[in-house]
Amino acid sequence: MIATDLLVAQNVGFGIISLLMIIGAVRVVTVNNVVHAALWLVIVLSGAAAQYLLLSAEFVAITQVLVYVGAVMVLFLFGTMLTRARIGAESDLNNKNWILGIPVAILTLGVMAYVIVDGFGSERLIENPGDTQPIPIQVISDDIFGPYLLPFWALSFVLLVAVIGAIVLARKD
Amino acid sequence: MLTTQFLLLGAVLFCIGVYGVLARKNAVMVLMSIELILNSVNINLLAFSVRHGSVDGNTFALYVIAIAAAEVGVGLAMVLLIYRNRRTIALDDLSEMKG
C-alpha cells in the first residue's frame, strides 16, 4: 500500500536523479583524469539543482546552475589547465593511504544513515507532492534583507576579501 | 516524498566527499570533493526548509553557495601559487609543517 502511495512522479524523478548523482559523485572521487572528474562533477551539481526544484526551491536551483555549473566549473577547468601541462589519465592521483578513506566513509555513512532512519522513519516531507507551490523570490529577499541582513553584509566582505586575496595570491611578481 | 530520502542522499554524497578529501592527492581533486560535501549540506538545508515550512533554509543555502564560490576562488589561487613555487600540487609533498 505504501509502495503504491509512494510511486508518484516526484519520487520516480528523485530516484533517477539521485542515482545519477551518486554514480557521478563516485566517479568524481575514483576517476583517473582530472578533466573527467570535473565533467562528472557537472552531473552531480546539475542533479543537485534538479533536487532543489523537487524541493520547490526555484531560486536556489537557478543560483546553483549559474554559480556552480557556470562559474565554479570554469574555475576548476582553468585550475586544471594552469597546473599541469598535459591533460590525460594519470596513475598517481591517490595518496599512499587512500585505502583508509573507504572504512572511514562507510563508517560515517552507517552512523548517519542509522541516525536519520531512526530519527525520521517514514515521515512525510510533503503530503501531496502535486500541490506544492514554489517559494516566491520576494519571500527569500525579505528573509535575506530582513532578519539575515548582518550575515549578508559579512558575506559581502568575505567575497570582497576573497577577490582581493585571490588577485594578490595569483599575481605574477 | 519522505524526509529520509533527501537526508540519506545528502549523507551518501557527504561520505563520498569525505572519501575524496581523504584519498586524493591532487589539490584540485580535493577542492572538488569539498564541493560535493557543500552540496550535500545544501540538500539537507532545503529539505529541512520544506519540512518546517520556513524560508530560512533557502537563505542559508544561498549563503552556503556564496561562501563556496569564495572558497573555490581562494583555494585555486593558493593551488596556483603552490604550483608556481614547487611545480607540483601533490599534497603529499607539502610536508614542511609535519614537525
Side-chain angles (χ1 to χ4, degrees), chain A residues 89 95 135:
Chain A
N95 60 33
I135 299 168

Side-chain angles (χ1 to χ4, degrees), chain B residues 2-76:
Chain B
L2 303 178
T3 312
T4 349
Q5 65 191 43
F6 287 100
L7 299 185
L8 280 178
L9 176 67
V12 169
L13 288 181
F14 179 85
C15 294
I16 294 172
V18 166
Y19 166 77
V21 170
L22 290 176
R24 288 304 204 180
K25 187 162 75 173
N26 188 313
V28 177
M29 304 289 260
V30 172
L31 283 175
M32 286 185 201
S33 307
I34 293 173
E35 294 305 310
L36 283 180
I37 294 178
L38 290 170
N39 263 282
S40 72
V41 172
N42 266 353
I43 291 176
N44 274 16
L45 280 174
L46 289 172
F48 281 117
S49 174
V50 172
R51 181 170 186 261
H52 294 289
S54 149
V55 79
D56 288 355
N58 287 43
T59 310
F60 289 160
L62 289 169
Y63 285 172
V64 169
I65 289 176
I67 291 286
E71 171 251 323
V72 170
V74 175
L76 280 174

